[in-house]
Amino acid sequence: MAVLTNYGSIQGIQKEGYTVYKGIPYAAPPVGELRWKAPKALTPWEGVYHADTFGAMSIQSLPDPSHPITGRFHKEFYSNPEFIPPMSEDCLYLNIWAPDGAKDAKLPVAFWIHGGGFGGGFGSEMEFDGEAFCKKGVILVTINYRVGILGFLAHPWLNQENERGISGNYGILDQIAALTWVYENIEAFGGDKNNITVFGQSAGSMSTQVLVSSPLTGNMIAKAILQSGLDCEKNFLYTPTLEEEAQLGELFTELAGADNIDALRGLSTEEIMAAKGRMDEKTWQMGKGIVVVPNVDGYVLTEKVSGVYKKGTMKAIPYMAGCVTNDLGTKPEEEKQKNPGDILEECISWCQKQEELGRRAYAYHFARRLPGDDWGAFHSSELWYTFGTLSRCWRPMEHHDYEISEEMVTCWTNFMKTANPGGEGAGGFWPCTREDPFVKVFE
């Protein structure tokens, strides 16, 4: 049965107990003159849109299988070609998994933002799937957004053509456009637009922090979960000023050989990626890490996310925040002690700030050392468990792994339903406070 949205009818794929809608467009393709511009509204279509194929991922460099570090990520998440869609600048698509019988149910909605260092990733990666959430009565939405230089380039030329005199942040504006589409249309799929939980991991978590810190998301976010990426006191998320990011943009255009905006837009994607590679070499030599990121433009962000945290002006909603043992910034000696270090301290700080503001917040630590090799509880390892997709993983998962996954899916969906991850099947999970800095451990 087709679902009627504000833009037209959509037909999904019926599965056992749920329907999946793949590759729904949520904005006009950001190509040609729309390259490096905020996403534009869709044109409604006639007839039925058959949402049976995942949309293209944003232009990016996939992990190198031969690299000592990225090769592991390739094996983990990118080795099955069945789950690798094409790449294109025409990438603004989302996916929805909705339980059967949801039409008028007003179910909780989980809105997932993928990670990838703001330079990679896509919403239909092998580890993402909505079946486990649907079994718990929650609708899952995953999105694609512009990443890398196509998603975050700031430059004086782009400032000049923008009515607000700003540039960059296109990937975040894509996320906001997708969230707006969901807020306006999810009731047709049986979702409750007033109960949307935004969650993400790594750069997706940092994006979530941007969204709860931005005035542009209004009242569309009811709850949020931050997985392995937030910035309170430790500067995990470099949030440059527009001017700082635009200086990097000038370096990019110099390396790309473009001397005006038309030449810049005339570059092929191959030329863009080659220039971005040269830029990465330069910035690494300068001692900089990931630099093509969200900037403080006065519109998407009016100040750094750490400043929003310190003032307590993030959205007044319930939160969960957590990490894995071997996570961002974890030192080798800390990993041996099963202590994630600074990143866990950031999660606890976030929760205790919410307590100061009269809200509940929950902290977790994923400590399960995954079977099959010596990588342990590595950055991104919890994703198989969060989405209940262990059977897709190459690893020799044990019965205990499936028990951990069931508990995590229960905690996540409990939180999405009631703002409390505890309850039946959750094994004890209460707020993290100054008096009791409780951290739920999954191991």
Side-chain angles (χ1 to χ4, degrees):
M1 181 195 297
V3 171
L4 182 61
T5 71
N6 293 347
Y7 297 93
S9 294
I10 301 174
Q11 180 79 50
I13 302 171
Q14 180 65 50
K15 300 284 189 175
E16 188 175 343
Y18 66 98
T19 302
V20 58
Y21 304 84
K22 301 179 178 181
I24 300 172
Y26 65 81
V31 300
E33 286 299 308
L34 296 185
R35 179 190 277 179
W36 292 309
K37 287 188 178 180
K40 302 297 182 186
L42 274 176
T43 300
W45 56 79
E46 296 182 1
V48 177
Y49 183 90
H50 291 277
D52 55 9
T53 305
F54 289 123
M57 69 174 92
S58 178
I59 302 295
Q60 60 191 266
S61 297
L62 293 178
D64 179 357
S66 64
H67 191 275
I69 297 174
T70 63
R72 282 187 152 186
F73 280 104
H74 180 275
K75 179 179 180 181
E76 194 74 20
F77 301 119
Y78 295 89
S79 57
N80 187 339
E82 179 186 342
F83 290 93
I84 306 297
M87 286 185 200
S88 174
E89 288 188 70
D90 179 3
C91 62
L92 302 186
Y93 297 89
L94 57 81
N95 316 297
I96 300 174
W97 288 259
D100 286 352
K103 183 160 177 29
D104 299 310
K106 289 208 167 183
L107 296 177
V109 181
F111 181 94
W112 174 254
I113 305 175
H114 69 74
F118 294 107
F122 51 98
S124 57
E125 291 178 27
M126 180 164 56
E127 69 275 24
F128 308 147
D129 193 274
E131 180 177 4
F133 280 42
C134 286
K135 287 180 178 177
K136 302 288 187 183
V138 173
I139 292 173
L140 177 68
V141 179
T142 70
I143 67 169
N144 292 355
Y145 57 94
R146 281 173 283 181
V147 300
I149 206 72
L150 289 164
F152 295 95
L153 175 67
H155 195 282
W157 298 338
L158 297 168
N159 294 347
Q160 289 167 12
E161 69 175 19
N162 182 278
E163 62 183 12
R164 296 183 178 86
I166 60 175
S167 60
N169 288 338
Y170 309 109
I172 299 295
L173 290 166
D174 293 342
Q175 295 170 12
I176 295 170
L179 179 62
T180 302
W181 190 99
V182 171
Y183 185 78
E184 293 176 348
N185 292 281
I186 202 63
E187 289 187 351
F189 298 84
D192 182 354
K193 71 176 185 178
N194 296 314
N195 190 10
I196 298 174
T197 300
V198 174
F199 70 136
Q201 183 266 347
S202 193
S205 179
M206 294 172 184
S207 295
T208 300
Q209 186 177 6
V210 170
L211 295 189
V212 300
S213 302
S214 173
L216 300 186
T217 50
N219 63 348
M220 294 188 289
I221 304 174
K223 309 180 188 75
I225 303 174
L226 302 138
Q227 300 182 212
S228 296
L230 75 166
D231 190 12
C232 302
E233 310 279 355
K234 311 286 187 181
N235 295 317
F236 275 112
L237 174 54
Y238 168 61
T239 322
T241 64
L242 172 57
E243 291 73 23
E244 289 169 332
E245 195 70 4
Q247 288 175 3
L248 290 164
E250 291 185 280
L251 172 62
F252 170 78
T253 53
E254 176 188 334
L255 294 170
D259 55 11
N260 59 60
I261 188 66
D262 292 332
L264 187 62
R265 286 210 170 91
L267 294 172
S268 68
T269 54
E270 291 78 14
E271 290 170 325
I272 287 170
M273 293 304 291
K276 174 60 165 57
R278 294 191 289 272
M279 178 183 173
D280 288 343
E281 290 178 15
K282 287 267 190 185
T283 54
W284 280 108
Q285 290 168 7
M286 294 160 61
K288 297 179 183 289
I290 297 173
V291 294
V292 182
V293 294
N295 74 73
V296 181
D297 61 1
Y299 177 59
V300 172
L301 281 175
T302 55
E303 63 180 312
K304 292 176 180 287
V305 293
S306 57
V308 172
Y309 158 79
K310 287 165 187 170
K311 291 179 181 177
T313 51
M314 72 288 284
K315 296 205 185 301
I317 57 175
Y319 291 95
M320 274 176 58
C323 61
V324 302
T325 302
N326 186 12
D327 215 322
L328 301 176
T330 305
K331 300 177 180 66
E333 60 271 22
E334 290 171 333
E335 184 191 2
K336 288 177 184 175
Q337 298 166 359
K338 294 188 177 180
N339 173 19
D342 285 351
I343 187 80
L344 183 57
E345 290 180 21
E346 292 284 80
C347 295
I348 293 171
S349 295
W350 182 271
C351 291
Q352 292 175 344
K353 172 66 76 171
Q354 306 312 313
E355 180 195 14
E356 288 176 24
L357 299 166
R359 309 166 197 155
R360 290 181 301 173
Y362 301 82
Y364 75 86
H365 167 201
F366 179 85
R368 169 62 169 163
R369 294 183 60 82
L370 271 64
D373 62 15
D374 61 354
W375 210 5
F378 59 90
H379 185 68
S380 306
S381 59
E382 88 280 19
L383 296 176
W384 297 114
Y385 299 76
T386 303
F387 289 94
T389 50
L390 299 183
S391 63
R392 293 180 179 176
C393 186
W394 66 269
R395 297 173 178 276
M397 296 296 186
E398 302 166 8
H399 178 70
H400 180 57
D401 292 289
Y402 287 90
E403 291 178 332
I404 295 171
S405 179
E406 173 62 23
E407 185 179 12
M408 289 181 71
V409 171
T410 298
C411 289
W412 265 239
T413 55
N414 281 354
F415 179 78
M416 291 159 179
K417 293 173 184 175
T418 67
N420 179 0
E424 186 175 352
F429 201 160
W430 53 90
C432 176
T433 64
R434 290 201 179 277
E435 185 177 337
D436 180 12
F438 175 75
V439 177
K440 169 78 170 179
V441 180
F442 298 96
E443 66 178 337

